[in-house]
Amino acid sequence: DAKGEPVTGLRREDFEVYEIDQLQDVSTFAAGEFPLTVALGVDRSWSMAGDRLRLAKQASKAFLRALKPGDRSMAVAISSDADVIAPLTMDRFNQERAIDDLDPWSTTALHDAIIAILDRLEPEPGRQALVVFSDGTDRYSRATAAQVVERARRSNALIYLIAFGKERPPLLAELAVITGGRSFLLRDARDLDKTLADVARELRYQYLLGYSPSDPIEPDTPEWRSIRVVLKKPGLSVRARDGYMT
């Protein structure tokens, strides 16, 4: 709504879905809380040393506690590599302990890490989300920013990025927009609890709309198809992924 709060109680007829500007017949609709598979990426590079890493660890643990018992989560330490420090389970205790043990290390291969984590999430069933805590500065990756965007477009995961620093890196904001997630710039530790509450609330309650494209998909012919979701009720806005690769 106008205050940025999630709106519940909407129905199928409140939405319109357009693919390449053609109105689609929404054949599947669900609303409510759906089990979640989430990966937490924590930037532990030297540029995050001190208060930034302390806040990232605090935020990561707070987010894990906000998940539902049936949600699965994993923790990944981001530096020159993407190291899985806690595997995909419902075991929050050991995940928090692994995050607590993080110390600053090495440089930042943020692009490579995001691609690696999305690859790890790919085969998992149900809703997927990637939540990254970082200053957003890439210093070491082999992958370019364009390659990260292309990989995100092919992923089913919502991407949420919490940046620490003076400005929000453009790539982080773009990844959030194209996947239907959000990006935040955290300048003050006092904003941390509200930011995490916003993310957890959004992930907890979502709308699922499904359709069969009116323009049939040609096999073995990859193409990008844009999606636009419209809410008929005034005063409300919608956040959804902006398309998919066939």
Side-chain angles (χ1 to χ4, degrees):
D1 61 16
K3 296 180 180 179
E5 298 292 329
V7 176
T8 60
L10 297 175
R11 300 170 297 176
R12 182 195 313 225
E13 50 267 34
D14 295 321
F15 294 88
E16 288 181 342
V17 179
Y18 295 83
E19 182 178 296
I20 320 179
D21 290 329
Q22 296 181 16
L23 182 63
Q24 305 294 311
D25 179 22
V26 176
S27 55
T28 301
F29 180 84
E33 296 186 9
F34 303 98
L36 179 69
T37 298
V38 60
L40 271 155
V42 184
D43 185 346
R44 63 174 302 184
S45 62
W46 284 113
S47 63
M48 288 284 289
D51 284 344
R52 288 182 178 182
L53 182 57
R54 179 183 59 79
L55 278 175
K57 291 162 68 170
Q58 177 186 337
S60 301
K61 292 187 293 181
F63 181 79
L64 287 172
R65 295 182 198 124
L67 296 175
K68 293 289 187 180
D71 295 332
R72 296 187 302 155
S73 53
M74 63 185 292
V76 180
I78 298 172
S79 55
S80 54
D81 294 302
D83 299 313
V84 176
I85 57 173
L88 190 59
T89 64
M90 301 176 190
D91 180 6
R92 313 280 190 257
F93 176 80
N94 283 314
Q95 288 169 352
E96 287 190 37
R97 190 165 65 177
I99 289 170
D100 257 336
D101 289 341
L102 285 177
D103 290 319
W105 174 254
S106 192
T107 187
T108 317
L110 185 59
H111 298 171
D112 292 347
I114 290 174
I115 290 174
I117 298 170
L118 291 177
D119 288 345
R120 173 62 186 85
L121 286 175
E122 188 73 28
E124 300 300 328
R127 281 193 315 135
Q128 302 172 5
L130 166 59
V131 180
V132 176
F133 300 92
S134 173
D135 60 6
T137 303
D138 187 285
R139 297 182 175 86
Y140 190 77
S141 287
R142 294 181 295 275
T144 65
Q147 288 172 319
V148 180
V149 169
E150 190 273 335
R151 181 63 186 89
R153 288 192 184 280
R154 292 188 288 106
S155 171
N156 292 320
L158 297 163
I159 299 181
Y160 286 80
L161 298 130
I162 293 90
F164 299 84
K166 296 181 179 179
E167 59 183 23
R168 181 170 13 204
L171 175 62
L172 301 191
E174 183 178 4
L175 292 175
V177 168
I178 65 177
T179 62
R182 289 180 73 184
S183 61
F184 301 85
L185 178 62
L186 202 65
R187 291 193 180 97
D188 192 322
R190 291 172 295 184
D191 297 332
L192 184 61
D193 288 344
K194 181 182 183 306
T195 298
L196 292 174
D198 288 344
V199 173
R201 185 169 57 245
E202 288 187 14
L203 289 174
R204 187 170 299 130
Y205 195 97
Q206 305 241 328
Y207 295 93
L208 172 67
L209 294 89
Y211 65 93
S212 296
S214 56
D215 184 10
I217 294 173
E218 295 293 333
D220 303 320
T221 309
E223 65 171 322
W224 172 253
R225 293 198 171 190
S226 61
I227 297 173
R228 181 165 53 93
V229 182
V230 176
L231 268 171
K232 296 179 183 178
K233 291 195 171 185
L236 302 180
S237 59
V238 64
R239 186 164 52 254
R241 65 180 305 119
D242 67 352
Y244 66 97
M245 289 293 298
T246 63

